[in-house]
Amino acid sequence: MPEWQTLPGYADYAETLARMEARAEAIAQGTADEAIWLLEHPPLYTAGTSARPEDLTDPGRFPVHQVGRGGQYTYHGPGQRVVYVMLDVGARGRDVRCFVRALENWVIAALAEFNVTGEIRPGRVGVWVARPERPGPDGRPSEDKIAAIGVKLRRWVSFHGISINVEPDLSHFSGIVPCGIRDHGVTSLVDLGLPVTMADLDLALKATFPRFFPPGGLHPDGKAPPACATP
């Protein structure tokens, strides 16, 4: 199993990125174990490789970091659990699409521990929650994003990862168009009325992780590398 670390305080973004890249390289060289880091950042925006300038609507609000992960603009800040996943995708089937789907399904399974139904949508990476109490203009329930996913692979080792909204200041998302999606909002576990703490979420993530990333990259039956697992 990977080495799990919970970083204290608010982790400096540039410093953490440098450490994460170094750890991913060591994993690729076979000199370090896989790792998962659980942390929070101070308020900031990150721009992925597909970020569009017009989606940064308030450029002076928080620091903006250009990063090499996939995706567009996203926000990190206090009250949001950031999960950096440094995993050997080469040993886990070398299927990037299925790896991302496994990350999504892992988040969905962790949210289910709190009776939250997370869902994925075609063309929208990340995890979404239906809001029947907030119908849209067409009368159908609106959908809010509760978790973002953006990863990069180098020598078949992943880095960057997942962010899950526990209790961030949701107004901080207004300085960007999150992930380039204008028609839907963002939510958090506390916004959904659940008194969930970071520690609660961390326990749920650790408990559900082996379903989608079993030791050695094999399914529990030991017959095949993991594909697009389901919760």
Side-chain angles (χ1 to χ4, degrees):
M1 295 295 288
E3 175 190 356
W4 290 71
Q5 291 187 33
T6 302
L7 278 61
Y10 297 137
D12 178 81
Y13 188 82
E15 178 183 334
T16 304
L17 179 59
R19 289 181 55 212
M20 179 167 51
E21 290 183 336
R23 181 61 177 260
E25 177 62 25
I27 294 169
Q29 293 178 0
T31 58
D33 292 332
E34 295 180 311
I36 295 178
W37 293 350
L38 306 171
L39 60 126
E40 294 175 83
H41 285 302
L44 58 92
Y45 298 128
T46 66
T49 54
S50 302
R52 298 174 296 192
E54 62 269 24
D55 288 345
L56 180 61
T57 58
D58 190 356
R61 189 170 189 181
F62 298 125
V64 179
H65 296 266
Q66 303 291 328
V67 295
R69 60 157 176 80
Q72 302 187 40
Y73 280 105
T74 192
Y75 165 77
H76 294 317
Q80 180 190 75
R81 174 54 86 213
V82 175
V83 187
Y84 286 139
V85 290
M86 288 147 279
L87 299 177
D88 186 349
V89 182
R92 297 175 182 276
R94 293 199 173 202
D95 190 325
V96 178
R97 183 169 297 181
C98 285
F99 176 70
V100 173
R101 178 58 57 86
L103 291 174
E104 291 174 330
N105 286 330
W106 176 30
V107 173
I108 289 170
L111 293 175
E113 297 287 299
F114 309 105
N115 296 316
V116 173
T117 301
E119 300 175 323
I120 56 176
R121 292 288 181 264
R124 289 194 248 144
V125 175
V127 179
W128 301 79
V129 176
R131 307 298 301 270
E133 76 281 11
R134 298 179 185 177
D138 59 0
R140 294 186 298 179
S142 60
E143 295 179 343
D144 290 341
K145 193 169 193 175
I146 194 167
I149 295 175
V151 295
K152 183 174 181 177
L153 269 65
R154 184 177 295 159
R155 297 177 61 188
W156 287 106
V157 175
S158 68
F159 53 107
H160 296 285
I162 300 165
S163 58
I164 305 172
N165 296 331
V166 178
E167 192 179 8
D169 185 336
L170 296 179
S171 71
H172 289 180
F173 286 87
S174 64
I176 56 172
V177 178
C179 300
I181 298 172
R182 298 178 180 273
D183 299 333
H184 302 280
V186 292
T187 189
S188 69
L189 288 164
V190 171
D191 182 54
L192 294 172
L194 300 168
V196 177
T197 67
M198 286 287 180
D200 295 332
L201 178 60
D202 293 348
L203 288 173
L205 288 167
K206 291 178 181 178
T208 54
F209 179 83
R211 297 187 209 171
F212 309 100
F213 304 97
L218 297 176
H219 280 307
D221 61 12
K223 294 180 180 179
C228 297
T230 56

